[in-house]
Amino acid sequence: MAGYGSCFFAFCTLPQCIKVYKSKSTNDISWLFIFMSLGGNIFSGIYIFLNNLNNENWMWPQYFNYFIASICMISLLLMKRKYRKN
């Protein structure tokens, strides 16, 4: 079940990325949201990796989750920067 949950969490930002790409508008997306989400994904991924090193219990679905979610947030960050209104 954890694998399914990880997939949902990993791709939950994808619809927003698609919407921004189509509309070329990021006015309603907060910079703080992007940075906090990206930071949360990165730091949680690091925590799980370090924890797995200690107990050798590799949680591959979690790595997938944080990697994909980070890629989506980085994409959103780049689009926010590209489509911002001057």
Side-chain angles (χ1 to χ4, degrees):
M1 285 303 197
Y4 294 117
S6 292
C7 286
F8 278 105
F9 278 127
F11 291 110
C12 70
T13 310
L14 191 58
Q16 187 65 52
C17 291
I18 293 169
K19 181 179 179 185
V20 166
Y21 180 76
K22 287 181 178 180
S23 70
K24 309 288 191 256
S25 174
T26 59
N27 295 335
D28 295 332
I29 301 172
S30 165
W31 284 104
L32 187 59
F33 164 72
I34 293 171
F35 288 122
M36 289 182 76
S37 295
L38 185 57
N41 285 317
I42 290 170
F43 287 120
S44 295
I46 291 170
Y47 170 77
I48 287 175
F49 176 75
L50 293 175
N51 192 30
N52 290 173
L53 279 177
N54 290 334
N55 63 16
E56 297 181 7
N57 180 20
W58 299 100
M59 302 168 82
W60 297 110
Q62 299 296 347
Y63 295 126
F64 174 79
N65 172 21
Y66 293 117
F67 177 75
I68 298 297
S70 294
I71 295 298
C72 287
M73 290 310 296
I74 290 169
S75 298
L76 203 55
L77 173 70
L78 294 174
M79 287 189 284
K80 175 83 171 163
R81 189 169 163 244
K82 180 178 181 179
Y83 300 133
R84 69 180 166 204
K85 302 267 182 183
N86 290 330

